[in-house]
Structure formats: C-alpha cells, structure tokens
C-alpha cells in the first residue's frame, strides 16, 4: 500500500513538474505576417495549455502587436495565432493539408498547416472577442478588461 502511494505521489509530482516547465517556458513568435489590412498571422512554437493562459499571453503582448500592426480603415482586425507544428512546408509536400502560405517568405517552404491556437478579433468600437478553437467557447473582453464567456455564434464549427 505504501509503495503504491509513493508511486502515485511520484507520478503526480512529475506531471506537475512537466506542466510547470511547459507553462513557464517562454512563447517564441517565430514569424508574423500582416496583410496590411484586416489580418495578422503569427506562428508560435507553443502556447500555454489552458484557455486562460493563452488569453493572458495574448493580452500581455497586445499593445506591442497593435503598435506594430495597427488597425487601418477597417472595423476590426483579426490576429491568428498558429502552431508551428512540424515546421514550414510547401504545397507539393502536403497537398491534402489546409495550408496558409506567406508571400514574404522567399523559399519553397513558405506554408504552415492551419492549426490555430487562438483567434482574436479586435474591434475599433466594440469589445475584443477571443476564440480558442480547441474549445467551443467564445470570450469577450469587457471595457473594464474582464473576460466574460459568451455563447458561440450560429454556425460555429
């Protein structure tokens, strides 16, 4: 009985340690592309596991992103945070994948598999909306900078 309890405690400790290492590891933005209009696409090496931590990461970098990629003559701008996955590729290597290709990368491997980790709609005159594709939840940032959960829009997913 003691042996099983000590093994269980060891496993829980290891899982907690791995989780902490993952969440404390800084997120690297590997590539950013803006279409100089309404969309900014970011490729990152990873994001934290929880929705709350993903959103906290975005909010910590929000001012910097909006300074570098400001809203232009459109009503909203969408930030797509994409996982690097297996790295940059091209259409010939992965013709059956849903790829996002970047015209500013001047090599044959200029595409990434669309694996969105976070999608953020920044509106000029409305609340920011944050979507975590792994869950069926839409978050809205209130004017007081509080997150509220909203029902997903019709046709979501």
């Amino acid at each position: 009985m003691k042996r099983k309890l000590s093994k269980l405690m060891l496993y829980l400790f290891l899982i907690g340690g791995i989780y902490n290492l993952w969440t404390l590891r800084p997120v690297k933005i590997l590539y950013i592309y803006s279409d100089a209009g309404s969309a900014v696409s970011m490729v990152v090496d990873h994001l934290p596991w929880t929705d709350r931590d993903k959103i906290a990461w975005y909010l910590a970098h929000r001012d910097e992103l909006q300074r570098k990629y400001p809203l232009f003559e459109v009503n909203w701008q969408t930030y797509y945070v994409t996982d690097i996955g297996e790295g940059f590729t091209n259409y010939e290597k992965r013709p059956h994948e849903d790829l996002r290709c970047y015209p500013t990368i001047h090599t044959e491997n200029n595409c990434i598999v669309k694996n969105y980790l976070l999608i953020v709609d920044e509106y000029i005159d409305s609340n920011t909306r944050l979507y975590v594709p792994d869950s069926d939840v839409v978050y809205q940032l209130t004017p007081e900078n509080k997150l509220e959960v909203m029902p997903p829009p019709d046709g979501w997913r």
Side-chain angles (χ1 to χ4, degrees):
M1 182 71 173
K2 271 190 167 184
R3 188 170 183 187
K4 286 183 182 180
L5 182 61
S6 63
K7 279 186 177 181
L8 177 65
M9 294 303 288
L10 177 63
Y11 289 135
L12 290 175
F13 178 76
L14 288 174
I15 289 170
I18 291 169
Y19 174 79
N20 282 329
L21 285 175
W22 182 265
T23 57
L24 295 176
R25 189 175 106 197
V27 175
K28 289 183 191 170
I29 299 175
L30 303 172
Y31 182 75
I32 296 182
Y33 174 76
S34 173
D35 65 2
S38 64
V40 174
S41 180
M42 290 179 275
V43 179
V44 298
D45 62 346
H46 77 285
L47 275 186
W49 284 336
T50 64
D51 292 359
R52 186 171 139 182
D53 290 339
K54 288 176 185 177
I55 292 169
W57 174 84
Y58 172 77
L59 293 176
H61 294 85
R62 182 182 189 192
D63 291 338
E64 176 186 352
L65 290 169
Q66 288 178 348
R67 195 170 42 255
K68 288 182 180 179
Y69 306 98
L71 289 171
F72 293 101
E73 299 295 322
V74 295
N75 292 331
W76 79 90
Q77 184 156 329
T78 302
Y79 294 90
Y80 296 96
V81 182
T82 309
D83 183 31
I84 187 70
E86 295 177 20
F88 286 93
T89 187
N90 63 34
Y91 182 76
E92 285 79 28
K93 290 180 186 174
R94 301 181 91 162
H96 302 293
E97 296 281 352
D98 189 12
L99 300 176
R100 170 73 167 101
C101 298
Y102 301 104
T104 56
I105 297 177
H106 301 293
T107 66
E108 74 175 36
N109 293 333
N110 65 343
C111 301
I112 195 83
V113 175
K114 289 182 188 176
N115 180 16
Y116 297 127
L117 302 174
L118 182 66
I119 301 170
V120 181
D121 288 332
E122 291 277 2
Y123 296 95
I124 290 176
D125 56 359
S126 183
N127 295 338
T128 298
R129 294 210 176 151
L130 303 110
Y131 310 94
V132 180
D134 291 342
S135 62
D136 288 327
V137 180
V138 177
Y139 299 93
Q140 179 170 279
L141 192 63
T142 66
E144 298 83 29
N145 284 331
K146 294 188 181 196
L147 278 178
E148 57 185 29
V149 177
M150 300 181 53
D154 290 337
W156 177 254
R157 290 230 192 226

